[in-house]
């Protein structure tokens, strides 16, 4: 990792408030956040402003923010250990977004892969917010002068743009205000949680996800319907992708003994996928039960949600105000 400028390093990451969190989000991202809050100065937020590009209704927006906040708290993010906040509570971000937009060029924004994807998928909703999504994300990161940004592969280009905008600002105003934010390099291998539909990864938009808030019945139904194959025809046969996916999921939620048991059956051509799925479903239900219980608890405790959001907002605003006053000074914005 490149040199960072803060000790401990400053970490920023956000998740858009669209839909519930799933097992892939938890094992691939949130579990790392929970660990990071112990060692770094962390800012984790719910990106409600980013979700406006797709025009949610006011009710839906409010519900989603509460759901994700409850889920963040349930997985173990602590309002005391990190700054856990809602993006729109830190209006300083929006001012920085405006300044960054003055030096973000149409060409580079149009070349962004996620923008091109969205234009292709929704040609009737190509709004300016969508075009400048990377400048808003850069503002989220730069407003806390972040050193490290834990994000998935699909966000690497956005992170690269945040670095570009920060460096451009530094150069233009002859300052070293913004460090170059780096992706998080964990010493553990990156996990990729597969879906239940035989190929690829678990994802919100893939329709193949187990949500942290799914009921035991929903989990059982989804797992029992998971794609498998006709079974091995010779001992120690390599596994097909759908079957490997079942084993991968099992490796995350079942005991090593259970996993070894089904590996053994597979290698001896004695496996019955129905039995394996039943076991996987039960282990998944048990794995998720405590999380579901905690989500339910926070979701029904408006007071706790408000307190957490207010504490997070206060911490994030303090950091954001300090950066913004230096930004204004660099630019020459000053009240008379
Ligand atoms: P989705 O793909 O469901 O829309 P996001 O893109 O919002 O999820 O991802 C939020 C975070 O969760 C990212 O850091 C991403 O890398 C992580 N993540 C999402 N799906 C998976 C998965 N199947 N396996 C591992 N990590 C994942
Ligand atoms: N764009 C990210 C996503 O879609 C969410 C996000 C918004 C974010 N601002 C951020 C992530 C700042 C990290 C840092 O997943």
């Amino acid at each position: 990792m490149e040199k960072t400028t803060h000790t401990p390093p400053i970490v920023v990451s956000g998740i858009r408030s669209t839909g519930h969190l799933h097992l892939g989000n938890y094992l691939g991202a949130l579990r790392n956040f929970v660990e990071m809050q112990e060692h770094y100065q962390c800012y984790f937020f719910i990106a409600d402003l980013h979700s406006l590009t797709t025009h949610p209704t006011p009710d839906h927006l409010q519900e989603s923010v509460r759901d994700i906040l409850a889920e963040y708290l349930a997985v173990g993010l602590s309002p005391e250990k990190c700054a856990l906040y809602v993006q729109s509570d830190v209006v300083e971000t929006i001012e920085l977004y405006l300044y960054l937009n003055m030096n973000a060029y149409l060409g580079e924004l149009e070349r962004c892969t996620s923008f091109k994807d969205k234009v292709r998928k929704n040609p009737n909703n190509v709004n300016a917010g969508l075009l400048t999504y990377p400048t808003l994300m850069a503002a989220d990161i730069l407003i806390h002068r972040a050193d490290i940004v834990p994000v998935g592969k699909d966000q690497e280009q956005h992170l690269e743009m945040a670095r570009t905008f920060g460096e451009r600002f530094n150069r233009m105003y002859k300052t070293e205000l913004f460090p170059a934010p780096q992706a998080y390099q964990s010493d553990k291998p990156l996990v990729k949680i597969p879906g239940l539909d035989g190929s690829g990864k678990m994802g919100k938009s893939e329709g193949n996800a187990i949500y942290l808030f799914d009921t035991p019945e929903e989990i059982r139904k989804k797992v029992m319907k998971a794609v498998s194959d006709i079974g091995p025809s010779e001992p120690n046969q390599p596994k097909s992708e759908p079957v490997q996916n079942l084993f991968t999921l099992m490796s995350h939620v079942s005991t090593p003994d259970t996993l070894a048991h089904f590996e053994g059956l597979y290698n001896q051509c004695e496996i019955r996928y129905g039995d394996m799925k039943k076991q996987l479903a039960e282990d998944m239900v048990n794995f998720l039960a405590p999380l579901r219980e905690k989500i339910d608890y926070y979701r029904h405790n408006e007071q706790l949600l408000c307190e957490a959001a207010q504490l997070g907002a206060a911490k994030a605003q303090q950091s954001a105000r300090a950066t913004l006053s230096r930004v204004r000074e660099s630019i020459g914005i000053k009240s008379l």
Side-chain angles (χ1 to χ4, degrees):
M1 195 187 298
E2 280 188 24
K3 178 164 86 74
T4 53
T5 52
H6 302 97
T7 318
I10 295 179
V11 172
V12 172
S13 197
I15 290 195
R16 265 173 314 142
S17 48
T18 47
H20 290 275
L21 299 173
H22 53 71
L23 193 65
N25 296 140
Y26 175 58
L27 297 172
L30 289 167
R31 220 172 31 171
N32 296 338
F33 291 5
V34 173
E35 205 181 308
M36 292 179 99
Q37 70 180 349
E38 303 293 337
H39 310 290
Y40 301 100
Q41 213 176 316
C42 294
Y43 295 87
F44 296 125
F45 66 95
I46 298 164
D48 58 340
L49 297 174
H50 275 103
S51 75
L52 296 179
T53 55
T54 50
H55 311 144
T57 63
D59 285 348
H60 192 244
L61 183 65
Q62 295 249 322
E63 284 290 298
S64 302
V65 169
R66 283 176 167 71
D67 285 340
I68 306 246
L69 183 56
E71 287 169 6
Y72 266 2
L73 291 166
V75 299
L77 287 178
S78 149
E80 278 79 37
K81 291 183 183 162
C82 64
L84 189 57
Y85 67 100
V86 182
Q87 185 185 27
S88 56
D89 280 336
V90 181
V91 290
E92 288 76 7
T93 308
I94 309 172
E95 188 173 327
L96 180 58
Y97 165 62
L98 181 137
Y99 299 141
L100 296 176
N101 268 332
M102 300 302 167
N103 293 303
Y105 293 95
L106 184 60
E108 61 190 341
L109 293 170
E110 277 178 336
R111 274 196 300 277
C112 180
T113 319
S114 65
F115 177 70
K116 288 196 284 196
D117 266 3
K118 298 216 163 105
V119 170
R120 203 163 18 83
K121 286 189 191 143
N122 294 300
N124 298 324
N125 183 26
V126 185
N127 58 60
L130 201 59
L131 180 72
T132 56
Y133 186 105
T135 28
L136 182 54
M137 178 159 161
D140 295 325
I141 295 169
L142 299 174
I143 198 74
H144 300 301
R145 306 179 57 238
D147 304 298
I148 299 174
V149 182
V151 281
K153 252 207 136 16
D154 60 324
Q155 296 296 314
E156 268 175 5
Q157 192 181 27
H158 287 155
L159 181 56
E160 175 71 46
M161 290 172 90
R163 271 196 293 274
T164 304
F165 297 147
E167 278 161 17
R168 197 173 283 165
F169 185 97
N170 285 351
R171 214 172 329 112
M172 181 148 182
Y173 295 108
K174 301 189 177 45
T175 162
E176 294 189 355
L177 181 58
F178 297 122
Q182 304 297 320
Y184 177 58
Q185 313 268 314
S186 170
D187 35 11
K188 293 190 205 115
L190 276 183
V191 301
K192 185 179 121 189
I193 305 302
L196 296 162
D197 50 357
S199 68
K201 74 167 192 119
M202 185 177 286
K204 252 177 267 176
S205 33
E206 283 75 6
N208 62 5
I210 302 265
Y211 291 94
L212 303 186
F213 199 55
D214 275 347
T215 61
E217 291 69 40
E218 282 166 327
I219 296 173
R220 288 189 189 106
K221 227 198 245 156
K222 287 182 183 179
V223 173
M224 294 314 289
K225 279 206 308 217
V227 178
S228 59
D229 62 16
I230 53 165
S233 51
E234 52 186 85
N236 303 316
Q237 188 177 311
K239 300 185 184 85
S240 66
E241 190 180 352
V243 170
Q244 181 55 54
N245 288 352
L246 292 179
F247 277 96
T248 303
L249 286 168
M250 194 168 239
S251 74
H252 287 285
V253 299
S254 304
T255 63
D257 284 352
T258 304
L259 183 66
H261 172 70
F262 285 99
E263 291 273 7
L265 290 176
Y266 180 89
N267 286 332
Q268 293 150 25
C269 301
E270 282 169 11
I271 191 153
R272 297 208 325 227
Y273 292 131
D275 293 346
M276 180 180 179
K277 287 186 197 172
K278 247 187 228 152
Q279 180 73 46
L280 178 60
E282 286 323 299
D283 291 343
M284 199 154 311
V285 166
N286 290 331
F287 182 83
L288 291 176
L291 288 181
R292 187 183 152 72
E293 207 173 291
K294 286 190 200 136
I295 296 170
D296 200 43
Y297 169 73
Y298 286 114
R299 200 60 189 85
H300 289 98
N301 201 326
E302 189 72 17
Q303 172 99 16
L304 271 184
L305 289 184
C306 289
E307 280 168 14
Q310 281 166 14
L311 181 60
K315 288 193 203 179
Q317 282 160 2
Q318 192 183 21
S319 145
R321 282 180 192 145
T323 306
L324 194 61
S325 90
R326 293 178 63 182
V327 167
R328 285 168 155 238
E329 195 184 318
S330 301
I331 298 180
I333 303 247
K334 207 171 162 194
S335 307
L336 295 178

